[in-house]
Amino acid sequence: MQKTTQCVHTGTRKDKSTGGLNSPIYPSSSFEYLDAAENIYPRYYNTPNQRAVVEKLCALEAAEDGILFSSGMAAISSVMIAFLSSGDHAVIQRDIYGGTHHFITADFDRFRIGYSFVANRPEDIVAAVRPNTKLILTETPANPTLKLTDVAAVSKIARAHGIPHAVDNTFLTPYFQKVLALGADLSVHSTTKYFDGHNATVGGAVVAATQELDDKLRFVLNATGTIMSPQVAFLTLQGVKTLSVRMDRQSANAMQIAEFLGKHSKVQTVCYPGLASHPQHALAKRQASGFGAMIWFEVKGGLQAGKQLMDNIELWSLAENLGSLESLITHPVTMTHADVEPAERKRVGITDGLVRLSVGLEDAEDLIAALEQALATV
Ligand SMILES: *Cc1c(COP(=O)(O)O)cnc(C)c1O
């Protein structure tokens, strides 16, 4: 079955009592024992709405099993809890989602877990591996720098050392990038973003390459209880049904906008993996079937110009979120990455004038006209 068809059909449980095509929402927290082998309790995570989403994500990643969480950060922190103990060490890509970065720097010392932040080149990752390294975590494309990591190369290193490799696949989703097929062990998602796609929910997911890895995560989920609710699972399922058309259209829009920005006299630099000017364009083409809908660019004039643009933009919403069908614009220095030390921001390339775009489903011409008008005020 093709991925577009998987998005629409896999996992969905029709309403047998009425013939309704949507899975009903199953809100029960108590279930009578119908079958002694199947002990249903929502925190164990096998109610029908959650199973439906997991089956869709597993079909897209060609995986056996996965777990849903109450947020992307619950998914990421559960991976940390599942694979890292006191005395262990983790190798983590330096330019990673701000919340992930913050969790590591704020809490790992307290649990006596060592970590090395490294550049996203495979040789840097291999150099950072220690005898007690128990997890490699990467994110590609990275939020917000859009640097790419070679998933196959890093997975090869991880396998040689017997260390699980988790990849935050939020930006491209398995519709465009199948990280497990590239060799990763865990594909981690904030479902808040493209899977939902409608700015309606907060959720997370991890899809595992083996049942053994999945079982470790399931144990953490049962212990911490950071489960996705049936109501959120229902909306997430509805979102994934249209993932293919949204991803195709939003990335086509992004390509047009990136090309427009590339030619604009007030724009210093534009970064989009689909542009030949992206330093890793060849890798983008090799490991993904689409370039996604995230762009960053730098307005000439730094912080002041960035603020001016944000104050004058129409149509684009100023919001920290991304991946929805509405186009969003973010200024990382004052918004998503305000918690990250200025020196660290500089090191990963988040400059004061950097503006991040999450391109939505509107007409590309309207989106470009709004950018044109705002850039004229700078
Ligand atoms: C948003 C995001 C997260 C965190 O997800 P939440 O659902 O907000 O907890 C993690 N990784 C990436 C790449 C993200 O964009």
Side-chain angles (χ1 to χ4, degrees):
M1 202 188 277
Q2 299 299 310
K3 59 184 181 178
T4 307
T5 312
Q6 287 171 336
C7 285
V8 177
H9 286 288
T10 318
T12 303
R13 281 138 170 83
K14 291 176 190 161
D15 179 0
K16 290 203 184 83
S17 62
T18 64
L21 289 185
N22 284 325
S23 303
I25 298 173
Y26 293 86
S28 294
S29 57
S30 298
F31 290 84
E32 283 185 322
Y33 272 72
L34 297 178
D35 170 359
E38 179 88 11
N39 174 10
I40 294 190
Y41 179 64
R43 208 183 72 242
Y44 304 156
Y45 170 71
N46 42 13
T47 64
N49 296 107
Q50 290 134 338
R51 288 308 310 165
V53 177
V54 165
E55 283 170 28
K56 251 194 216 314
L57 301 192
C58 286
L60 287 169
E61 298 259 17
E64 267 190 37
D65 214 347
I67 310 230
L68 300 181
F69 292 91
S70 53
S71 69
M73 279 316 298
I76 290 167
S77 55
S78 296
V79 168
M80 313 273 200
I81 295 168
F83 296 98
L84 297 169
S85 303
S86 171
D88 290 344
H89 171 261
V91 174
I92 294 157
Q93 180 178 310
R94 180 178 295 285
D95 48 337
I96 202 147
Y97 173 66
T100 308
H101 190 279
H102 185 67
F103 174 56
I104 293 159
T105 52
D107 283 324
F108 271 29
D109 282 352
R110 198 157 58 83
F111 297 115
R112 297 193 168 73
I113 297 168
Y115 57 91
S116 304
F117 279 126
V118 296
N120 50 345
R121 290 178 307 230
E123 56 269 34
D124 294 298
I125 288 172
V126 80
V129 170
R130 298 179 190 172
N132 60 338
T133 302
K134 295 288 166 57
L135 180 69
I136 298 175
L137 175 65
T138 62
E139 179 180 305
T140 184
N143 181 358
T145 60
L146 299 178
K147 283 183 195 159
L148 308 185
T149 298
D150 186 332
V151 177
V154 175
S155 298
K156 214 169 146 191
I157 295 163
R159 207 167 316 118
H161 290 85
I163 305 166
H165 177 207
V167 181
D168 188 329
N169 196 17
T170 297
F171 270 28
L172 289 183
T173 81
Y175 182 71
F176 278 152
Q177 178 170 264
K178 298 185 188 302
V179 298
L180 298 188
L182 290 165
D185 299 291
L186 300 159
S187 181
V188 185
H189 302 277
S190 166
T191 64
T192 313
K193 316 292 168 58
Y194 292 99
F195 285 142
D196 171 315
H198 296 73
N199 281 322
T201 65
V202 172
V206 181
V207 179
T210 67
Q211 193 63 51
E212 194 189 341
L213 293 166
D214 190 79
D215 287 346
K216 285 196 170 178
L217 280 162
R218 194 170 301 274
F219 181 84
V220 174
L221 177 75
N222 284 345
T224 58
T226 52
I227 183 72
M228 179 184 281
S229 72
Q231 290 82 357
V232 169
F234 174 82
L235 290 169
T236 306
L237 191 82
Q238 296 299 91
V240 182
K241 286 180 186 177
T242 59
L243 183 69
S244 65
V245 280
R246 286 187 287 109
M247 291 306 279
D248 285 341
R249 175 68 178 278
Q250 287 176 237
S251 48
N253 279 354
M255 191 71 195
Q256 282 190 53
I257 291 166
E259 282 170 348
F260 157 78
L261 291 169
K263 291 188 213 118
H264 203 284
S265 63
K266 290 191 179 160
V267 173
Q268 184 82 40
T269 18
V270 54
C271 179
Y272 179 63
L275 293 178
S277 62
H278 189 288
Q280 295 164 297
H281 180 58
L283 175 61
K285 284 200 285 194
R286 196 166 75 236
Q287 73 180 7
S289 58
F291 302 115
M294 299 301 297
I295 299 173
W296 67 256
F297 67 99
E298 208 174 341
V299 211
K300 289 181 183 166
L303 187 65
Q304 201 46 45
K307 279 188 176 162
Q308 181 82 4
L309 181 94
M310 302 296 281
D311 288 345
N312 288 285
I313 190 107
E314 286 169 15
L315 188 60
W316 298 74
S317 299
L318 266 69
E320 288 206 357
N321 201 7
L322 64 97
S324 65
L325 51 85
E326 293 92 351
S327 289
L328 308 176
I329 187 165
T330 313
H331 190 211
V333 171
T334 53
M335 297 165 73
T336 49
H337 284 62
D339 280 348
V340 179
E341 288 294 318
E344 185 60 27
R345 282 202 303 251
K346 205 167 180 181
R347 200 150 30 158
V348 300
I350 301 170
T351 58
D352 290 349
L354 191 132
V355 174
R356 189 187 76 182
L357 301 179
S358 171
V359 179
L361 270 185
E362 302 90 339
D363 193 283
E365 270 183 38
D366 290 334
L367 293 171
I368 289 171
L371 285 166
E372 177 91 77
Q373 173 269 328
L375 281 166
T377 69
V378 171

